[in-house]
Amino acid sequence: MKHCRMYIMMAILMGALLQVNAQKAQPYFNIDEMPDMLKFLPAPPDTTSEAFSHDVMRYFWGKQMRLDPERSAIAIRDADWTTLNICKEFSVPFGLTISPETTPAIYNLIENSLSTADLIGRKPKNYYMRKRPFDRFKEPSLYPQDDEELSHNGSYPSGHTIRGWSAALILSEINPANADTIMSRGFMYSESRVIVGAHWQSDIEAGRLAASVAYMKMHTSTAFCEQLEKAKAEFRRLTRKK
Protein backbone atom coordinates (compact mmCIF):
# COMPACT_ATOMS: atom_id res chain seq x y z
CA MET A 1 0.00 0.00 0.00
CA LYS A 2 2.88 2.32 0.88
CA HIS A 3 4.55 1.66 -2.48
CA CYS A 4 1.22 2.17 -4.27
CA ARG A 5 0.80 5.62 -2.67
CA MET A 6 4.36 6.50 -3.61
CA TYR A 7 3.75 5.60 -7.27
CA ILE A 8 0.53 7.62 -7.30
CA MET A 9 2.35 10.67 -5.90
CA MET A 10 5.11 10.26 -8.47
CA ALA A 11 2.53 10.10 -11.26
CA ILE A 12 0.81 13.25 -9.97
CA LEU A 13 4.14 15.05 -9.75
CA MET A 14 5.11 14.01 -13.27
CA GLY A 15 1.75 15.18 -14.60
CA ALA A 16 2.18 18.52 -12.86
CA LEU A 17 5.66 18.93 -14.32
CA LEU A 18 4.40 18.19 -17.83
CA GLN A 19 1.55 20.65 -17.39
CA VAL A 20 3.94 23.38 -16.26
CA ASN A 21 6.20 22.58 -19.20
CA ALA A 22 3.26 22.77 -21.64
CA GLN A 23 2.35 26.23 -20.33
CA LYS A 24 5.77 27.85 -20.66
CA ALA A 25 5.84 28.26 -24.45
CA GLN A 26 7.18 31.67 -25.39
CA PRO A 27 6.43 32.71 -29.00
CA TYR A 28 9.20 34.60 -30.75
CA PHE A 29 6.68 37.11 -32.14
CA ASN A 30 3.13 38.20 -31.39
CA ILE A 31 0.33 37.84 -33.93
CA ASP A 32 0.66 41.42 -35.23
CA GLU A 33 4.36 40.87 -35.94
CA MET A 34 3.73 37.80 -38.07
CA PRO A 35 3.18 38.06 -41.86
CA ASP A 36 -0.49 38.70 -42.68
CA MET A 37 -1.62 35.74 -44.79
CA LEU A 38 -4.79 37.53 -45.83
CA LYS A 39 -2.58 39.74 -47.99
CA PHE A 40 -1.11 36.91 -50.07
CA LEU A 41 -2.93 33.64 -49.41
CA PRO A 42 -5.59 32.88 -52.05
CA ALA A 43 -9.12 32.35 -50.79
CA PRO A 44 -10.19 28.71 -50.35
CA PRO A 45 -11.71 27.14 -53.50
CA ASP A 46 -15.27 28.12 -54.34
CA THR A 47 -17.66 25.16 -54.10
CA THR A 48 -18.43 25.44 -57.83
CA SER A 49 -14.76 25.35 -58.87
CA GLU A 50 -12.61 22.60 -60.30
CA ALA A 51 -10.25 23.02 -57.32
CA PHE A 52 -13.10 22.19 -54.95
CA SER A 53 -13.92 19.09 -57.01
CA HIS A 54 -10.34 18.02 -56.38
CA ASP A 55 -10.84 18.66 -52.66
CA VAL A 56 -13.89 16.39 -52.71
CA MET A 57 -12.03 13.68 -54.60
CA ARG A 58 -9.24 13.82 -52.02
CA TYR A 59 -11.78 13.58 -49.22
CA PHE A 60 -12.99 10.27 -50.64
CA TRP A 61 -9.38 9.21 -51.12
CA GLY A 62 -8.92 9.85 -47.40
CA LYS A 63 -11.91 7.70 -46.55
CA GLN A 64 -10.46 4.91 -48.67
CA MET A 65 -7.17 5.19 -46.78
CA ARG A 66 -9.02 4.56 -43.53
CA LEU A 67 -9.40 0.95 -44.66
CA ASP A 68 -5.64 0.52 -44.18
CA PRO A 69 -5.32 -0.24 -40.42
CA GLU A 70 -1.73 0.98 -40.17
CA ARG A 71 -2.31 4.29 -41.98
CA SER A 72 -5.57 4.81 -40.15
CA ALA A 73 -3.80 4.35 -36.79
CA ILE A 74 -1.15 6.92 -37.77
CA ALA A 75 -3.85 9.43 -38.78
CA ILE A 76 -5.55 8.98 -35.42
CA ARG A 77 -2.25 9.48 -33.57
CA ASP A 78 -1.58 12.60 -35.63
CA ALA A 79 -4.87 14.11 -34.47
CA ASP A 80 -3.07 14.90 -31.20
CA TRP A 81 -1.25 18.10 -32.09
CA THR A 82 0.41 18.72 -28.71
CA THR A 83 4.13 19.42 -28.73
CA LEU A 84 4.76 16.25 -26.74
CA ASN A 85 2.98 14.09 -29.30
CA ILE A 86 4.51 15.80 -32.33
CA CYS A 87 7.98 15.28 -30.85
CA LYS A 88 7.15 11.65 -30.17
CA GLU A 89 5.97 11.07 -33.75
CA PHE A 90 9.01 12.78 -35.29
CA SER A 91 11.56 11.08 -33.03
CA VAL A 92 11.98 8.05 -35.32
CA PRO A 93 12.72 9.94 -38.55
CA PHE A 94 14.82 12.42 -36.57
CA GLY A 95 16.92 9.57 -35.20
CA LEU A 96 16.74 10.65 -31.57
CA THR A 97 14.09 10.61 -28.86
CA ILE A 98 12.81 14.18 -28.48
CA SER A 99 11.40 15.05 -25.07
CA PRO A 100 11.76 17.65 -22.30
CA GLU A 101 13.90 15.19 -20.36
CA THR A 102 16.19 13.79 -23.09
CA THR A 103 16.60 16.81 -25.40
CA PRO A 104 15.57 19.95 -23.47
CA ALA A 105 17.14 22.42 -25.93
CA ILE A 106 15.54 20.82 -28.99
CA TYR A 107 12.20 20.43 -27.23
CA ASN A 108 12.22 24.05 -26.08
CA LEU A 109 12.93 25.21 -29.63
CA ILE A 110 10.07 23.11 -31.00
CA GLU A 111 7.65 24.28 -28.32
CA ASN A 112 8.35 27.98 -28.79
CA SER A 113 8.46 27.68 -32.57
CA LEU A 114 5.13 25.86 -32.83
CA SER A 115 3.46 28.42 -30.57
CA THR A 116 4.82 31.09 -32.93
CA ALA A 117 3.78 29.30 -36.12
CA ASP A 118 0.26 28.84 -34.72
CA LEU A 119 -0.26 32.60 -34.90
CA ILE A 120 0.08 32.89 -38.66
CA GLY A 121 -3.04 30.84 -39.35
CA ARG A 122 -5.43 32.64 -37.02
CA LYS A 123 -6.44 35.55 -39.26
CA PRO A 124 -7.32 33.48 -42.36
CA LYS A 125 -9.07 30.85 -40.22
CA ASN A 126 -11.27 33.46 -38.57
CA TYR A 127 -11.82 35.40 -41.80
CA TYR A 128 -12.87 32.52 -44.05
CA MET A 129 -14.42 30.21 -41.41
CA ARG A 130 -14.42 27.42 -43.98
CA LYS A 131 -16.62 24.45 -43.20
CA ARG A 132 -14.74 21.22 -42.61
CA PRO A 133 -15.27 18.10 -44.75
CA PHE A 134 -16.90 15.95 -42.07
CA ASP A 135 -19.27 18.83 -41.30
CA ARG A 136 -20.17 19.44 -44.94
CA PHE A 137 -20.88 15.76 -45.53
CA LYS A 138 -22.75 15.40 -42.22
CA GLU A 139 -20.77 12.37 -41.07
CA PRO A 140 -18.31 11.76 -38.25
CA SER A 141 -14.60 12.10 -38.84
CA LEU A 142 -12.11 9.38 -38.04
CA TYR A 143 -11.43 11.20 -34.75
CA PRO A 144 -14.99 12.11 -33.67
CA GLN A 145 -14.06 13.35 -30.20
CA ASP A 146 -12.76 16.53 -31.86
CA ASP A 147 -15.71 17.06 -34.21
CA GLU A 148 -17.80 19.33 -32.02
CA GLU A 149 -14.94 21.73 -31.30
CA LEU A 150 -13.63 21.71 -34.88
CA SER A 151 -17.06 22.44 -36.34
CA HIS A 152 -16.78 25.91 -34.76
CA ASN A 153 -13.23 26.48 -35.98
CA GLY A 154 -12.26 27.49 -39.51
CA SER A 155 -10.73 24.80 -41.71
CA TYR A 156 -8.48 27.00 -43.88
CA PRO A 157 -5.52 26.80 -43.47
CA SER A 158 -4.89 23.60 -41.52
CA GLY A 159 -3.49 24.35 -38.06
CA HIS A 160 -2.28 20.77 -37.60
CA THR A 161 -0.36 21.06 -40.86
CA ILE A 162 1.21 24.35 -39.78
CA ARG A 163 2.51 22.67 -36.62
CA GLY A 164 3.61 19.43 -38.28
CA TRP A 165 5.32 21.11 -41.24
CA SER A 166 7.03 23.62 -38.94
CA ALA A 167 8.36 20.77 -36.79
CA ALA A 168 9.65 19.00 -39.91
CA LEU A 169 11.46 22.15 -41.11
CA ILE A 170 13.07 22.74 -37.72
CA LEU A 171 14.21 19.15 -37.23
CA SER A 172 15.55 18.99 -40.80
CA GLU A 173 17.71 22.02 -40.10
CA ILE A 174 19.04 20.43 -36.91
CA ASN A 175 19.68 17.08 -38.58
CA PRO A 176 20.00 17.71 -42.34
CA ALA A 177 21.30 14.17 -42.94
CA ASN A 178 17.80 12.89 -42.12
CA ALA A 179 15.90 15.69 -43.87
CA ASP A 180 14.33 13.38 -46.45
CA THR A 181 12.72 11.09 -43.84
CA ILE A 182 11.81 13.99 -41.55
CA MET A 183 10.06 15.92 -44.32
CA SER A 184 8.37 12.73 -45.49
CA ARG A 185 6.89 12.37 -42.00
CA GLY A 186 5.83 16.01 -42.12
CA PHE A 187 4.06 15.37 -45.42
CA MET A 188 2.37 12.30 -43.93
CA TYR A 189 1.35 14.29 -40.85
CA SER A 190 -0.51 16.81 -43.00
CA GLU A 191 -2.13 14.11 -45.16
CA SER A 192 -3.45 12.52 -41.95
CA ARG A 193 -5.83 15.48 -41.71
CA VAL A 194 -7.39 14.57 -45.06
CA ILE A 195 -7.65 10.92 -43.98
CA VAL A 196 -9.30 11.92 -40.70
CA GLY A 197 -11.74 14.10 -42.64
CA ALA A 198 -10.96 17.24 -40.66
CA HIS A 199 -9.40 19.12 -43.59
CA TRP A 200 -9.61 19.54 -47.33
CA GLN A 201 -6.54 19.04 -49.50
CA SER A 202 -6.37 22.78 -50.16
CA ASP A 203 -6.37 23.39 -46.39
CA ILE A 204 -3.22 21.35 -45.88
CA GLU A 205 -1.50 22.88 -48.91
CA ALA A 206 -2.19 26.33 -47.46
CA GLY A 207 -0.93 25.06 -44.10
CA ARG A 208 2.41 24.02 -45.58
CA LEU A 209 2.77 27.47 -47.15
CA ALA A 210 1.86 29.15 -43.86
CA ALA A 211 4.42 27.07 -41.93
CA SER A 212 7.15 27.89 -44.46
CA VAL A 213 6.44 31.62 -44.22
CA ALA A 214 6.33 31.45 -40.42
CA TYR A 215 9.63 29.58 -40.35
CA MET A 216 11.24 32.21 -42.57
CA LYS A 217 9.99 34.92 -40.20
CA MET A 218 11.36 33.09 -37.15
CA HIS A 219 14.83 33.19 -38.64
CA THR A 220 14.75 36.98 -38.18
CA SER A 221 14.42 36.51 -34.40
CA THR A 222 17.64 36.63 -32.38
CA ALA A 223 16.05 34.50 -29.67
CA PHE A 224 15.05 31.85 -32.21
CA CYS A 225 18.50 31.76 -33.82
CA GLU A 226 20.20 31.46 -30.45
CA GLN A 227 17.90 28.61 -29.40
CA LEU A 228 18.43 26.92 -32.77
CA GLU A 229 22.20 26.94 -32.19
CA LYS A 230 21.69 25.44 -28.72
CA ALA A 231 19.52 22.72 -30.26
CA LYS A 232 22.14 21.95 -32.91
CA ALA A 233 24.86 21.77 -30.25
CA GLU A 234 22.72 19.43 -28.16
CA PHE A 235 22.13 17.20 -31.17
CA ARG A 236 25.85 17.05 -31.97
CA ARG A 237 26.66 16.20 -28.37
CA LEU A 238 24.08 13.42 -28.13
CA THR A 239 24.99 11.87 -31.47
CA ARG A 240 28.76 12.20 -31.19
CA LYS A 241 30.36 8.80 -31.70
CA LYS A 242 32.11 7.51 -28.61
Side-chain angles (χ1 to χ4, degrees), residues 115-170:
S115 69
T116 307
D118 283 340
L119 302 175
I120 201 169
R122 289 188 184 175
K123 286 183 180 179
K125 270 182 173 291
N126 293 334
Y127 182 80
Y128 293 114
M129 280 304 294
R130 190 184 194 190
K131 186 175 288 189
R132 293 171 183 269
F134 71 85
D135 202 15
R136 178 167 290 279
F137 285 99
K138 306 299 181 186
E139 54 189 18
S141 73
L142 185 60
Y143 199 74
Q145 53 266 55
D146 278 356
D147 289 1
E148 175 59 27
E149 180 181 355
L150 293 182
S151 65
H152 302 290
N153 177 271
S155 179
Y156 184 84
S158 164
H160 274 73
T161 297
I162 291 173
R163 291 174 70 84
W165 200 248
S166 295
L169 290 169
I170 294 165

Side-chain angles (χ1 to χ4, degrees), residues 17-211:
L17 285 171
L18 290 176
Q19 185 174 14
V20 169
N21 188 72
Q23 293 174 346
K24 72 176 184 181
Q26 298 178 339
Y28 298 110
F29 296 102
N30 62 46
I31 191 168
D32 293 326
E33 294 170 327
M34 294 296 286
D36 186 353
M37 293 203 74
L38 288 176
K39 294 181 178 179
F40 63 87
L41 180 69
D46 183 88
T47 54
T48 61
S49 68
E50 188 175 317
F52 184 70
S53 296
H54 179 64
D55 273 347
V56 172
M57 289 174 63
R58 290 291 289 172
Y59 173 72
F60 286 105
W61 166 85
K63 291 188 70 174
Q64 186 68 26
M65 292 300 292
R66 297 180 195 178
L67 301 178
D68 180 339
E70 183 177 359
R71 187 63 185 91
S72 179
I74 292 172
I76 290 171
R77 294 204 312 267
D78 288 346
D80 180 353
W81 75 341
T82 61
T83 304
L84 281 170
N85 188 63
I86 288 175
C87 288
K88 178 182 176 182
E89 292 299 324
F90 278 89
S91 288
V92 172
F94 184 63
L96 198 66
T97 298
I98 311 165
S99 74
E101 298 78 24
T102 59
T103 56
I106 296 172
Y107 187 88
N108 184 255
L109 175 68
I110 296 291
E111 185 171 47
N112 292 340
S113 296
L114 298 193
S115 69
T116 307
D118 283 340
L119 302 175
I120 201 169
R122 289 188 184 175
K123 286 183 180 179
K125 270 182 173 291
N126 293 334
Y127 182 80
Y128 293 114
M129 280 304 294
R130 190 184 194 190
K131 186 175 288 189
R132 293 171 183 269
F134 71 85
D135 202 15
R136 178 167 290 279
F137 285 99
K138 306 299 181 186
E139 54 189 18
S141 73
L142 185 60
Y143 199 74
Q145 53 266 55
D146 278 356
D147 289 1
E148 175 59 27
E149 180 181 355
L150 293 182
S151 65
H152 302 290
N153 177 271
S155 179
Y156 184 84
S158 164
H160 274 73
T161 297
I162 291 173
R163 291 174 70 84
W165 200 248
S166 295
L169 290 169
I170 294 165
L171 295 174
S172 292
E173 185 162 358
I174 297 170
N175 182 11
N178 282 19
D180 52 354
T181 53
I182 294 168
M183 295 308 299
S184 177
R185 185 63 181 93
F187 194 87
M188 179 183 288
Y189 187 92
S190 61
E191 282 202 327
S192 287
R193 303 309 291 161
V194 175
I195 295 170
V196 164
H199 281 290
W200 305 100
Q201 178 69 28
S202 53
D203 295 341
I204 68 171
E205 290 170 359
R208 292 174 192 144
L209 172 62

